[in-house]
Amino acid sequence: MFYGTELNSRLMLGTAQYPSPQILRDAITASGTEVITVSLRREGQGGEAFREILRESGCRILPNTAGCHSVREAVTTAQMARELFGTSWIKLEVIGHADTLQPDPFALVEAARILCADGFEVFPYTTEDLIVGERLLEAGCRVLMPWGAPIGSGQGLRNIEGLRTMRTHFAGVPLVIDAGIGAPSQAMAAMEMGFDAVLLNTAVAKALDPVAMARAFGQAVTAGRAAYTAGLMPRRDMAAASTPIFGQAVLA
Amino acid sequence: MQIDLNGAPVATAAETLATLIDEHGFDAASVATALDGVFVPRPLRSKTPLHRGAKVEVLSPMQGG
């Protein structure tokens, strides 16, 4: 449940870097996603064809503020996106570091506060830092989107213990792993840990067969969620025999 | 007068943002605009005067992650 919207699919898909518009269309369908992420760029670069894909996908649009490095840029971009897409949802990115594309937590919280007060439903791209998460919730966010690893890196869940702590600390808050997911197994691991959804792009768009990879991610997210709700067995450091000792023949 | 439109210098006779959008053939309903870094909602474009050196951004949906 994200801002009152219940979704059947727990996979959110980015729309960049696909080999062709048709492959993007087919990947969206194969993934089963209901939320796709889009950006805003200067008009004059083939926008109409893309608008048509968005319309026919039937998906909810989650516009982003990708590439913004300041509060002002992010807030203006969000306002423009709200008018353009007719949605109050915004994936808020305020980048603090050019190489890691790590969020600037201070600017992120400030931008989130301004946007939430203005009626936006903010999906903040953040780190696994608990205090930043607290501040974002105080600012009015009702979803947090911690990174798995740097955007486009495919490294998976780089700080798995930190993410586990975050999941426990923010029980009841919808948490989406955003960025860094490179393989379906990593998406499944996130879902098994109890994250509510994953958002990814490059791992599908840059696959040898993006449509097949989109389907694989859809299946992985479903399987991971099913495993989480089924209740995973507790981890042990030592072996525990699963076959009963009782009735065992003495043959030695 | 000379303004900056999507990062390029442009000479225009348009007095308002709305006129500039028409002048350049943008689909007014499919773009979002900002003047000097501040969002200008669609209904306010016709009431938003341009000035020499104005920085206008006209954005539309694009693939993103």
Side-chain angles (χ1 to χ4, degrees), chain A residues 36-187:
Chain A
I36 52 177
T37 311
V38 301
S39 184
L40 290 184
R41 287 294 178 264
R42 286 167 171 168
E43 169 66 341
Q45 298 165 35
E48 180 49 42
F50 184 55
R51 281 196 286 274
E52 181 56 30
I53 293 177
L54 300 185
R55 270 192 295 271
E56 71 186 27
S57 76
C59 290
R60 273 197 81 109
I61 305 294
L62 176 58
N64 66 37
T65 63
C68 292
H69 284 73
S70 71
V71 173
R72 182 184 157 141
E73 276 180 297
V75 168
T76 301
T77 303
Q79 291 167 333
M80 295 172 87
R82 180 163 62 177
E83 181 181 69
L84 210 47
F85 296 104
T87 176
S88 294
W89 280 20
I90 190 77
K91 175 182 158 180
L92 181 62
E93 291 185 26
V94 188
I95 300 301
H97 191 272
D99 292 333
T100 61
L101 299 181
Q102 181 171 340
D104 175 339
F106 308 100
L108 180 70
V109 170
E110 192 182 337
R113 186 171 293 121
I114 293 167
L115 292 173
C116 289
D118 191 20
F120 280 89
E121 296 177 313
V122 176
F123 292 67
Y125 163 64
T126 183
T127 63
E128 64 275 49
D129 189 290
L130 300 183
I131 311 309
V132 175
E134 295 278 13
R135 296 289 182 273
L136 287 166
L137 295 180
E138 286 167 16
C141 297
R142 289 193 280 138
V143 174
L144 299 174
M145 298 218 297
W147 64 347
I151 292 171
S153 71
Q155 294 175 12
L157 308 180
R158 201 154 75 157
N159 179 4
I160 203 154
E161 293 308 327
L163 289 168
R164 207 184 294 282
T165 303
M166 189 179 194
R167 178 64 287 182
T168 304
H169 185 74
F170 292 111
V173 176
L175 299 181
V176 183
I177 296 288
D178 176 22
I181 298 282
S185 54
Q186 297 162 356

Side-chain angles (χ1 to χ4, degrees), chain B residues 25-48:
Chain B
F26 294 123
D27 177 0
S30 304
V31 295
T33 51
L35 174 63
D36 296 333
V38 177
F39 169 56
V40 180
R42 207 167 282 144
L44 295 185
R45 287 178 197 161
S46 60
K47 298 170 193 151
T48 303

